[in-house]
Amino acid sequence: MENESSVKIVSEWDIVTARQLGRNIAKELGFGTVDQARITTAISELARNIYLYAGKGEIQFEPVNNFEKRGLKVLAVDQGPGIQDIRRAMEDGFSTSGGLGAGLPGVKRLMDEFDLISSLGEGTTIRVVKWLRDRRFG
């Protein structure tokens, strides 16, 4: 497997492609089915946000190692309008698209690490990481 893979998001079909690639990489890294589903759901939300709000962008995948931990880093990058009010966007139930508003707060709950950088008129980068659980400890 390559060190980093990516999917350009320009259509709704690209959301499906990003989900599938993310699941495949997670499986190759040894994630169980529950964590694969968490990762896939987070990728879907991130890719859908790019499609809905920025029009185009990219989902990048990278296996990561941190001392004794291994995991998967996912970057969602766009050059869209940026997020007007990050604090509001991170509130459960908030949506500017008429959706359920589970997007970014849901992604944060599904993953182990979550970082968001957004500049108005320049775009948004969201970095999430899911760490492999040590199966020796359950």
Side-chain angles (χ1 to χ4, degrees), residues 6 8 11 13 24 35-36 53 59 92 130:
S6 65
K8 296 220 181 293
S11 75
W13 288 109
N24 291 342
D35 278 341
Q36 287 176 40
Y53 300 111
I59 301 287
D92 281 318
K130 189 70 170 172

Side-chain angles (χ1 to χ4, degrees), residues 70-114:
R70 292 183 323 126
L72 176 61
K73 175 171 69 173
V74 178
L75 282 177
V77 182
D78 70 61
Q79 289 76 45
I83 299 172
Q84 183 108 21
D85 187 340
I86 293 173
R87 198 175 83 209
R88 280 229 38 223
M90 292 305 299
E91 290 176 5
D92 281 318
F94 177 75
S95 173
T96 58
S97 68
L100 297 177
L104 294 179
V107 169
K108 185 174 183 177
R109 283 190 295 272
L110 290 167
M111 302 297 278
D112 298 321
E113 295 182 18
F114 179 97

Side-chain angles (χ1 to χ4, degrees), residues 53-54 76-86 115-126:
Y53 300 111
V77 182
D78 70 61
Q79 289 76 45
I83 299 172
Q84 183 108 21
D85 187 340
I86 293 173
D115 295 304
L116 185 156
I117 299 169
S118 188
S119 299
L120 291 179
E122 294 180 27
T124 301
T125 299
I126 299 174

Side-chain angles (χ1 to χ4, degrees), residues 7-110:
V7 175
K8 296 220 181 293
I9 306 296
V10 292
S11 75
E12 283 190 275
W13 288 109
D14 299 327
I15 298 167
V16 175
T17 302
R19 283 175 55 93
Q20 290 172 336
L21 180 58
R23 183 182 290 274
N24 291 342
I25 293 171
K27 187 175 183 178
E28 284 181 33
L29 291 172
F31 283 96
T33 55
V34 172
D35 278 341
Q36 287 176 40
R38 289 181 177 123
I39 292 165
T40 302
T41 301
I43 291 165
S44 183
E45 289 290 336
L46 294 170
R48 185 166 306 288
N49 281 353
I50 289 172
Y51 177 71
L52 288 176
Y53 300 111
K56 63 181 180 176
E58 187 172 30
I59 301 287
Q60 302 169 359
F61 306 94
E62 183 181 352
V64 289
N65 291 300
N66 181 358
F67 301 103
E68 295 182 8
K69 295 192 294 187
R70 292 183 323 126
L72 176 61
K73 175 171 69 173
V74 178
L75 282 177
V77 182
D78 70 61
Q79 289 76 45
I83 299 172
Q84 183 108 21
D85 187 340
I86 293 173
R87 198 175 83 209
R88 280 229 38 223
M90 292 305 299
E91 290 176 5
D92 281 318
F94 177 75
S95 173
T96 58
S97 68
L100 297 177
L104 294 179
V107 169
K108 185 174 183 177
R109 283 190 295 272
L110 290 167

